[in-house]
Each structure stands twice: as structure tokens, then as C-alpha cells.
Amino acid sequence: MRAKSFLFAVLAFSIASALQAAEPPSPWLEGAKKEGKLLWYTTTQPASTDVIVKRFRERFPFIDISVYSANSAKIQERFVNEARNNRNQADLIKTSNIHIEELLIEEGRLFQKYVSPEAGAYPPDMRDPDGYWSAIELGTYGIIYSPRLVPKDQAPKSYDDLLHPRWKGKMGLDNRDEEWFAAILQIMGEAKGLQFMKRLAQQDIQVRAGGTVLQNLVVAGEFPIVVNGRANTVEALIKKKAPIDWIAVEPVHTTVSVVSIPAQAPHPNAAKFFIDWILSEDGQQVQKEAVRIPARPGIYPDPPRLIKGYKLHVLDGKDMAKNYNRYTTLFRQMFLKRK
Amino acid sequence: MSWKNFRWDLFLLGAAGLLVCYLAVVPVGMLIYGSFRSGPPGKPGNVFTVNNYVEAYLDPELYEMLGNSLMFAVGSSLVALAIGTTLAWVYLRTNAPLRGAIALVALFPFFTPGILETIAWILLLSPKIGLINTALMRLFALETAPFNIYSFGGLVWVEGLNLYPVVFLLMSGALASMDASLEEAALMSGSSPMKSFRKITLRLMRPALLSAFLIIFIRGFEAFEVPALIGMPMNFEVFSTKIYLAIRQFPSNYGLASTISVLLLALSGVGIYFYRRATSEEGRYATVSGKSHSVRRIDLGKSRYLVSGLCALWLFLTVVLPIATILWSSFLPFYTIPSSESFAQMSLSRYQHVLEQPLTFRAFKNSLWLSSLSAMIVVLLASAISWVTVKSKLPGRGALETLCFLPVAVPGIVFGLSLIWLYLALPIPIYGTVWILLVAYVTKHMPHGMRFLAPAMNQIHKELEEASIMSGGSWLQTFKRIFLPLLFPTIVACWVYNFITLAREMSASILLYSQDSEVLSVVIFELWEDGNYTEVCALGILMILTTTGVVLLARLLGSEVGLRRSAAS
């Protein structure tokens, strides 16, 4: 009898651990099933979001996930107004860490902490030390050039190369590139960074509204060089054989998109369940499938060269949030207020 | 009290007044209230302050931008007025051949998402890669590009072309219901068609022209895309940039944004005051009277072919070329100038990709029904309100017109935000549903509806109404039997105008739409932000095709009813 029950216990334990190895039961599973709903505010564009939502539904059909997608400023505005007036709807916010940091500075009470068991797999600059956000996606940036107008061996390899007289008047810059501006100041140090920017501004930089316009103008042949641009969209154009390429300047300017849970999230269990999944290897593979850059180390995007082999400089969101207006003013004074 | 004696006019004034107060005055009030607060509603530690005003109006940058905006708005309005009025006159008042086709093509820039139209002009007129420039340089062996899009002329040109369909529609409504006998009299007394156009038509059209100017001037004033894409390279910053920057800074300074918007409100108030003064003498512009309502056209003689030819050439240069650029791009994986290499790359895969996304269908469906329904409500409301403001002698009608006009002067994004504040606070459960979009659309476009219907109402002579009343017709019968049929061309033009502008509306929609109530402009914006230029082109072409279909349908319906009307008379 004793032996029998011992054997039974061993059997039960091994079955349990085998099951656990296959799929560790989530502590949020029961709660999430009961809630049955998840509303996700995201900055990811619809085509990618569709992939992520589809895969999530396939795996966890018991959670009815729906999405509101807009750019980060709009998401911030909508969320903050709902939350302040006690009408919060969102269960999960995905936006840039800067926006979350901004909101945390202004009104920390709007969010709740959650540290996922998966967070341990991520480097420290990709999760909030206080537990308010975890990175799920990266954005890498570099110098963009037109291989038709600039042979690869003559393309600038470093920021200093941009100061060469032969590029004078030929370089484009996105008017919303304050984040890049801040990143360079963070990388080079404030004094050196500002000096570089001053010299760059003397290169008669051509400012245009938005990265999409600039990249299309490189493809169309208007600009040989764009000072900074999103590598992911350049790679999408390269896949279509467009005459455009980018150069990573190390440490590569990198931004992170993060997920956070609002303090008044109506379905907090489902939100935590989703975060655990999107941070897991499986979730990050889906991010890759959705043509995003997974934040989890070891999972490379398509093509891998978007991050593989580079030293990354993850933009310090706290610094950016604190000094946003100062960076913006400096950036505008240098590049937009020329006469 | 029997129905016969029911004071419909009083009832209308009351009902319209309440509705306008609710739709327009409350959100605008919210905006003004917000401009005196230190932070947005719900934020702890909010106090009353005039700091927003001090900060905004002591900033010398504001005045520079204000000057730029004024120049830009006046310049592009003049371009739009000239083109729009001329085309509408050719379409409705002359016997130029193919005028129906001309009228349809003339509307195309209006169907096109603004961002695509602007990019198309950059691709045509950029000094470096512009197709028109490179073609002309090759053709005439020029050293430098003849045109530069990045100039004040370029700015005004592109915005003027964006705006002229508004003028075209406003003027066609008014021209269609205008009595031609005065023009005929001028022609009979030996003046040329051009002279009769200048001396008779233009003068009679003064209320409509002023109306059109008022609308497009404000649209030019709050325009964002063209100044951003074309003005930026030449450091031409406008008023709306200031609002944008106030919203973009952290924490977003909606107090400052509202403060700046209040200036736009004040400017529009002044505009409407002058409009009312200029058109106040009822009867001066009433050309639709009880006498024969002739719709005879001016015979241009042999020059009618020349007129059509010139219009066609003009439309080819200003409409067909940019749309061809968009169409061309929509078949390509990325934009390149036409060459044998790029021809080989042409495919329908952009369209396939766009149509594969379930979001596209949802957005088309939502945009179509929301815009049609809102446009219908706008037409109904605007007919009722403009009757009160133009035809009734009731006190308070001037205030009603001014109040009704207010929402047009609130920039879309600021308006969207004040609606969020309002419906988060009010116990009316439309926040987060599709109905908040409907409310936003109707409110923001009621003034546009008014600009169509008020001048048309002005043209109808009061003797018609008096005749009806004398013959024992009730007020309601008069409205139904006299006003509605006579206004029908205007009503159709008004519906079409509102339908198209609403299908394109973005700045308020993007804050107010919810999961599953996405609209087209939002999808376009998102695709654009992600760098999918040629896909946006494909979606843009699909949008142009759908809108054209709807407009043709509306025209068909309009002419049908028009025929029945003349058969009955």
C-alpha cells in the first residue's frame, strides 16, 4: 500500500513535471479565461498587428483580443484622457518606452507594475527597473544612402564622414528626428554631441516631413544621403529591390517599444497572460513573423543584419522623457530655424 | 391648435438652436474653457490661468507663423476661386462639349488623399527629380529646372489645386439654380460671353463666392499637409505647425493648442460677420423668382470647342498628371520614373496586398456608411437652419448662424480632443463607439453645409414663398413644395461635398475611432507612417474609384429628381 502510493506519487510528479516542461501553466490562465477579453492599444501598424493577433487567437482562442492602433502621441492622448476620467478601457499599451516614461513622470498612478517571469531573458536596458514596462520590439537606425548615386565604398561609414564637404547640401533629415538627436548626445556626450550637430547643421541639411517621404525621395533619386532613418523600412524596400541601403554606425541608435498595463485595466489577468506570451520565445518568433525586430536576445529578425553583430545603444527613455522639450528645442533651432 | 397654425418656423428656430448649442457650442465652450486651464480635465492640481494666452501671444514666432498662414491661405484661396468658378461656369452656363466629363474630372483632386496629391506634385515639380522639370529641360535643353515646387508659388499652387473642387461644388450649386435671363439680356444687348460672365454672373454670385472664400480660406489656414511637405524645406512654417508643436511637446500642451485655436475662432467670427453684412439685403441676390425659371445656356459659338479644349488641357496638367503619378506608383513595388526597367516591375501585387487585409474592407464599409449618413444629416440640418437664418425674420437668427459656423474654425485634432473630454464627462454613452465619429462629422461639417445652402436660399425670391402662403399653403407645404425642389441641385452638391470631405477626414477621426470602427483615412495614415508609399497609392486609387462611383450615383439621382421637377412645372 505504502509502496503503491509512493509509486503513484512518483508517477504523478513525473507526469506533472513532464506537462510543466511542455507548457508551464500560467498563473494568469484561469483569471484570463474568466475575463475572456483583451483590448490592446498599439503603435504597431495594422498588417503586423494582424499577424500577432491571429497567432495569439490560434493559441489562446478563449481570449477575445481586439486592437486600437494609432501613433504613439495619439495613443498617449487617448489613454491618458480615458484613465484620468476613470473611463479606462485599455488592458495593455504598446508604445515607445519614452511615452511610458513621460506618463510615469507626470502621473505614475496610471500604470501598474508587472514583472513577467520571461523578463529574466532580457538585458537590463530592455526592461524597467521599477517593473512598469518590458520591451517587446526594437527599432534600429542608420545612415541611409542611394547605391545608384553613391557607390558603396564611397558611402559614409561614420557620423564624422557626414561632415565632408562633398555632402554639403545633399543630405536629407527627418523633421521629427529628435530621438536620434538625443541618442547622439547620449552616445557622444552632451558637449561633443552638440558640437557635432552644429557642424552637421552647417552642411546645409535638407529637412523633410517624415521618414516615409525621405526614404521614397532616396529611392526616387532626390537625395543621395539621409542622415538617419529606420532600418526596418529600408530593408522592406531592399526586399523589393529598390535602390536604397543603410549603414549601421556603432553603437547603433536603437529604440524600444514596450508593453505596460494600465492601473485600471479591466482585464488584468489577460494582459499579464499576453505579456508572458509576447515576451516568450514563441511570442518573439511571432514578432519576427510579423516583420518586426524581436527584442529578446538570440531571436534575430529578417534579415538578421538589422541587429546581428552590432553594439546597440538603446535610447535612454528616462533621459529623453525628462528632457524632451529641451532636445526638441535644440533640434529645431539647429535644423529647422535656419535663415 | 390645429396643424395648420402650428408655428413651424418658431419650432425650427428652437429645435435648431438647441441642437446647434449641443453640437457646436458645447465642444467649442469646452475648448475655450480648456484654454483657461493649467492642465487637461481630470488631471490633479488643475487651476484657472491666463498663462496659456500670455505664453502664446507673447511669442514672436506666433506672429511670423500667422503672417505666413495668412499669405498662404489668401494665395491658395485666390487660385482655388479662379479655377473653381471658371470650371463651374463652363459646366453649367455654357454649351461647351464634354462639359459633364470635365465636371467629373475636375472633382478628382478632391477624391485623392491629400498626402498622395502633395507627394505626386513633388515628384512632378521637384527641381531635381520632377518629371515635368526633367522633361522640359530635355525638350528645350535648359540648364536649370523651370519650376521649383519648394517655393511660395509651389505651395499656393498645390493647396489651391486641393481647394478648388470645394469652390467648384459650391459654385455649381449656386449657378445651377440661378436664373439665366439676366445673362441673356446682357448677351442680347451685345456683350461678349466673357463680359456677361464678369459683369452679371460674378456679381450675382457674390454671396456664393463670399461663402466659398470663407470656407476655403479657413481650410487653407488650418492646412497642414502641404505646408509640412512643401513648406518645410523652405523654412515656411505656418500657424498649424504651432498647434502641432504644442500638442507634440511633453506633456502635450492642449491648453496652449486651444489658446491658439481661439484665435482661429475669432478670425472666423469676423469673417462670418462681414459675410452677413455683405449679403444682408435680402432680395438683391434673389434671382430665382416666380417668373420663368430659365436654364438656357450661353452659346459660345465656335469657340465652345476651344473652351472645352482649354479645360481639357488644364485638367490634364493639373488633375490627370498627378493622378497618373499615383496610379503609376500603385503598380510598382516602389516609386521610380517610367523606364523599360520599371515597366517590367509593374504588377497588381500592391492592390492584392491591400485587399488581403480584412481591415481594408472594414475601413471601406465604415467610411462609406458613416460619411453618407453624416452627409445626409448635415444636409437636413443645414437646410433647416439656413431657412431660419436666411428666410425667417425671427430674432436670434444671426447668432444662430454664427454659432453654427464655429466648429469649422477648430482644427480637427483639437476638436477631436474636446469631444473626448466632453463625452468622457457626459453620461451619454457614445464614447468608444462609432457614434462619436458621427457626432464629430456632423458637427464639424454643419458649417460646410450652411455655406452651400444659405447662399442658395438667398437666391430664392420671397415672392415665391409669399405666393404659396397667399394660396393657403402652410409653412411646411411651402418648405416642401417650393424650397426643397428649387434647392435640389444645391442639396446634391452639398451632400457630395460633405460625403467626400468626410471620407477623407483624418485629424479628428484618428483620436475618436475605436477598435472595429476604423475608417479609411486612418488606414491610409498608418500605412503611410510605416513607409508603404506604393501601397498607400493603391489604396488611394481604390478610394478614388469608390468615391467616383458614389458621386456618379448621386448625380444620377439628382438629375432624375431634377427632371421630375421640370416635368411637374
Side-chain angles (χ1 to χ4, degrees):
Chain A
M1 188 66 196
R2 203 184 257 178
K4 219 176 179 178
S5 62
F6 176 73
L7 266 178
F8 185 73
V10 168
L11 192 70
F13 180 75
S14 43
I15 288 174
S17 44
L19 276 175
Q20 199 163 15
E23 198 165 298
S26 159
W28 318 117
L29 184 65
E30 282 316 306
K33 273 186 178 164
K34 236 174 256 158
E35 290 164 359
K37 270 199 168 90
L38 179 69
L39 175 55
W40 185 25
Y41 283 16
T42 180
T43 55
T44 310
Q45 68 119 337
S48 295
T49 308
D50 278 353
V51 175
I52 299 167
V53 165
K54 194 173 149 215
R55 296 287 175 249
F56 184 77
R57 279 194 188 130
E58 282 167 11
R59 286 159 174 75
F60 315 107
F62 46 86
I63 297 178
D64 177 21
I65 179 171
S66 47
V67 175
Y68 164 76
S69 68
N71 69 11
S72 44
K74 305 264 160 50
I75 285 192
Q76 186 176 11
E77 229 34 77
R78 190 173 157 119
F79 160 69
V80 92
N81 278 298
E82 289 173 352
R84 270 181 191 147
N85 293 285
N86 299 316
R87 291 280 291 273
N88 182 73
Q89 316 188 41
D91 296 306
L92 199 62
I93 311 271
K94 182 247 170 195
T95 182
S96 99
N97 63 333
I98 300 159
H99 283 269
I100 300 288
E101 292 289 0
E102 284 177 353
L103 289 170
L104 286 173
I105 294 173
E106 210 192 347
E107 267 173 286
R109 66 180 178 107
L110 298 182
F111 289 100
Q112 55 178 288
K113 293 182 185 184
Y114 176 60
V115 180
S116 165
E118 297 285 345
Y122 290 74
D125 51 1
M126 293 191 194
R127 50 196 155 93
D128 180 30
D130 299 323
Y132 281 111
W133 53 261
S134 339
I136 61 166
E137 182 187 315
L138 306 180
T140 47
Y141 294 76
I143 299 173
I144 295 174
Y145 71 100
S146 154
R148 260 195 206 153
L149 302 173
V150 185
K152 190 164 187 165
D153 54 314
Q154 285 171 33
K157 305 281 179 294
S158 69
Y159 287 121
D160 277 341
D161 287 353
L162 297 176
L163 303 177
H164 195 281
R166 69 177 161 151
W167 301 126
K168 194 165 176 131
K170 291 183 175 162
M171 291 183 285
L173 177 69
D174 183 346
N175 72 317
R176 299 182 296 193
D177 243 346
E178 301 95 353
E179 290 183 11
W180 164 81
F181 183 87
I184 297 297
L185 263 54
Q186 287 173 3
I187 292 169
M188 293 185 181
E190 178 99 10
K192 248 190 99 189
L194 280 175
Q195 207 179 0
F196 165 76
M197 290 297 175
K198 265 183 203 137
R199 291 177 64 198
L200 187 67
Q202 284 161 6
Q203 285 285 62
D204 196 10
I205 300 289
Q206 303 290 307
V207 180
R208 295 289 187 277
T212 304
V213 175
L214 276 166
Q215 296 191 8
N216 275 290
L217 288 177
V218 169
V219 171
E222 174 131 343
F223 286 119
I225 308 265
V226 168
V227 172
N228 177 61
R230 228 161 99 203
N232 210 359
T233 46
V234 176
E235 290 293 349
L237 283 163
I238 295 174
K239 275 184 203 152
K240 298 174 192 164
K241 303 200 169 52
I244 189 167
D245 205 350
W246 70 286
I247 290 158
V249 182
E250 286 191 84
V252 172
H253 163 39
T254 306
T255 57
V256 291
S257 291
V258 304
V259 282
S260 294
I261 308 176
Q264 315 165 51
H267 311 104
N269 289 296
K272 287 169 187 163
F273 186 82
F274 183 93
I275 290 187
D276 289 354
W277 172 71
I278 196 85
L279 289 176
S280 73
E281 282 206 47
D282 180 49
Q284 290 288 300
Q285 289 291 351
V286 170
Q287 283 275 65
K288 175 184 174 177
E289 187 194 343
V291 223
R292 301 282 118 188
I293 305 179
R296 191 180 174 110
I299 299 177
Y300 292 108
D302 174 30
R305 77 156 183 152
L306 277 165
I307 51 167
K308 200 171 184 179
Y310 306 130
K311 188 168 177 280
L312 304 181
H313 171 267
V314 175
L315 183 66
D316 180 348
K318 280 196 171 50
D319 171 51
M320 186 72 201
K322 234 180 282 164
N323 298 305
Y324 191 89
N325 291 344
R326 192 173 68 92
Y327 285 132
T328 311
T329 313
L330 279 171
F331 176 80
R332 279 180 56 77
Q333 275 169 358
M334 283 188 177
F335 294 102
L336 283 141
K337 293 262 106 190
R338 295 165 296 123
K339 281 290 158 192
Chain B
M1 187 172 82
S2 75
W3 277 114
K4 191 116 190 173
N5 298 328
F6 186 68
R7 286 290 300 270
W8 279 96
D9 50 347
L10 271 181
F11 170 76
L12 257 187
L13 177 73
L18 280 178
L19 201 66
V20 167
C21 272
Y22 172 67
L23 285 176
V25 179
V26 175
V28 170
M30 198 82 184
L31 172 79
I32 295 174
Y33 169 79
S35 72
F36 286 106
R37 299 289 287 176
S38 61
K43 203 192 158 193
N46 243 344
V47 288
F48 272 101
T49 172
V50 288
N51 273 348
N52 295 321
Y53 285 87
V54 176
E55 192 187 331
Y57 296 107
L58 284 185
D59 181 1
E61 210 184 54
L62 180 78
Y63 298 97
E64 189 198 324
M65 290 175 169
L66 204 63
N68 283 348
S69 274
L70 275 172
M71 284 197 315
F72 173 71
V74 169
S76 36
S77 298
L78 291 180
V79 171
L81 275 180
I83 306 172
T85 313
T86 315
L87 284 171
W89 181 73
V90 171
Y91 168 48
L92 284 159
R93 276 281 161 262
T94 73
N95 63 344
L98 288 175
R99 51 185 187 272
I102 289 171
L104 187 67
V105 177
L107 285 181
F108 270 35
F110 204 27
F111 305 168
T112 319
I115 203 153
L116 289 181
E117 172 97 3
T118 313
I119 296 291
W121 279 111
I122 292 176
L123 295 174
L124 287 170
L125 290 180
S126 150
K128 220 180 271 176
I129 53 161
L131 280 177
I132 294 179
N133 275 326
T134 46
L136 287 176
M137 280 162 79
R138 220 174 295 157
L139 208 63
F140 300 107
L142 298 173
E143 291 279 306
T144 51
F147 300 108
N148 182 4
I149 184 93
Y150 303 115
S151 60
F152 184 70
L155 270 170
V156 165
W157 171 255
V158 177
E159 187 64 31
L161 289 177
N162 267 340
L163 292 175
Y164 87 77
V166 180
V167 180
F168 179 83
L169 278 170
L170 274 163
M171 296 310 292
S172 351
L175 280 168
S177 42
M178 186 190 113
D179 186 358
S181 56
L182 289 166
E183 279 177 341
E184 274 161 27
L187 287 172
M188 303 259 271
S189 355
S191 85
S192 71
M194 240 359 254
K195 198 173 174 193
S196 96
F197 172 68
R198 266 201 343 258
K199 294 265 166 183
I200 307 286
T201 322
L202 276 188
R203 288 188 182 181
L204 278 176
M205 290 289 108
R206 206 165 82 174
L209 275 170
L210 277 173
S211 233
F213 180 78
L214 210 56
I215 278 274
I216 56 174
F217 175 79
I218 288 171
R219 281 181 65 126
F221 210 86
E222 62 165 346
F224 191 69
E225 276 154 352
V226 173
L229 288 165
I230 298 175
M232 192 161 299
M234 43 179 283
N235 284 314
F236 189 87
E237 286 193 311
V238 293
F239 187 70
S240 47
T241 318
K242 195 82 189 159
I243 293 177
Y244 172 77
L245 284 172
I247 290 171
R248 265 207 94 199
Q249 64 173 263
F250 174 76
S252 314
N253 199 339
Y254 274 98
L256 188 59
S258 325
T259 311
I260 304 170
S261 311
V262 168
L263 184 63
L264 197 52
L265 271 175
L267 271 173
S268 322
V270 173
I272 198 92
Y273 169 77
F274 280 112
Y275 167 76
R276 280 194 69 83
R277 248 186 56 170
T279 59
S280 60
E281 291 161 61
E282 200 202 357
R284 252 184 86 182
Y285 299 99
T287 66
V288 181
S289 63
K291 290 154 216 139
S292 80
H293 177 56
S294 139
V295 284
R296 215 169 301 151
R297 290 165 185 282
I298 293 166
D299 188 359
L300 293 174
K302 283 214 178 90
S303 61
R304 66 182 191 272
Y305 297 105
L306 181 71
V307 168
S308 283
L310 283 175
C311 286
L313 181 70
W314 170 258
L315 290 175
F316 176 78
L317 289 174
T318 59
V319 178
V320 178
L321 273 183
I323 289 187
T325 312
I326 298 168
L327 186 68
W328 163 251
S329 308
S330 75
F331 293 123
L332 295 175
F334 52 88
Y335 174 80
T336 41
I337 51 167
S339 67
S340 54
E341 196 187 330
S342 46
F343 273 110
Q345 288 175 324
M346 284 176 81
S347 76
L348 286 172
S349 63
R350 298 299 97 205
Y351 289 91
Q352 196 190 342
H353 195 239
V354 165
L355 290 173
E356 264 170 6
Q357 295 183 32
L359 179 63
T360 310
F361 280 100
R362 214 156 62 217
F364 262 101
K365 197 185 76 191
N366 286 336
S367 276
L368 282 178
W369 81 258
L370 258 177
S371 313
S372 333
L373 183 63
S374 314
M376 238 178 276
I377 299 176
V378 165
V379 168
L380 281 174
L381 270 177
S383 317
I385 297 173
S386 43
W387 184 85
V388 173
T389 60
V390 175
K391 286 292 160 195
S392 83
K393 290 274 168 282
L394 297 172
R397 60 185 193 282
L400 183 66
E401 176 159 18
T402 310
L403 291 179
C404 192
F405 195 71
L406 290 180
V408 86
V410 185
I413 180 143
V414 179
F415 186 69
L417 207 87
S418 48
L419 281 190
I420 286 193
W421 289 341
L422 189 64
Y423 286 100
L424 279 172
L426 282 182
I428 297 168
I430 64 167
Y431 184 79
T433 70
V434 70
W435 304 112
I436 196 167
L437 282 172
L438 190 85
V439 169
Y441 286 1
V442 170
T443 313
K444 192 89 172 73
H445 280 72
M446 203 163 48
H448 295 236
M450 293 284 294
R451 297 281 57 78
F452 276 87
L453 286 151
M457 207 68 97
N458 235 326
Q459 285 186 324
I460 299 175
H461 206 284
K462 62 170 180 286
E463 68 185 28
L464 288 174
E465 193 184 348
E466 284 159 6
S468 161
I469 306 267
M470 298 268 275
S471 337
S474 71
W475 182 88
L476 193 65
Q477 274 174 322
T478 313
F479 193 77
K480 251 176 29 198
R481 306 272 298 262
I482 307 281
F483 285 107
L484 272 185
L486 283 174
L487 288 174
F488 209 77
T490 312
I491 285 177
V492 172
C494 177
W495 185 87
V496 164
Y497 168 86
N498 282 295
F499 171 78
I500 302 167
T501 11
L502 286 169
R504 292 170 42 144
E505 205 289 330
M506 193 185 77
S507 39
S509 309
I510 203 153
L511 269 178
L512 296 174
Y513 88 94
S514 297
Q515 49 285 359
D516 298 326
S517 68
E518 297 95 341
V519 289
L520 265 178
S521 53
V522 170
V523 178
I524 284 184
F525 177 76
E526 301 243 349
L527 273 177
W528 173 260
E529 287 277 290
D530 212 55
N532 282 306
Y533 169 64
T534 53
E535 252 168 53
V536 181
C537 288
L539 197 57
I541 294 290
L542 292 175
M543 204 169 148
I544 294 173
L545 289 175
T546 317
T547 326
T548 312
V550 172
V551 170
L552 281 176
L553 220 79
R555 283 252 171 99
L556 211 69
L557 189 81
S559 64
E560 192 109 303
V561 174
L563 274 180
R564 230 179 289 143
R565 187 191 72 198
S566 47
S569 64

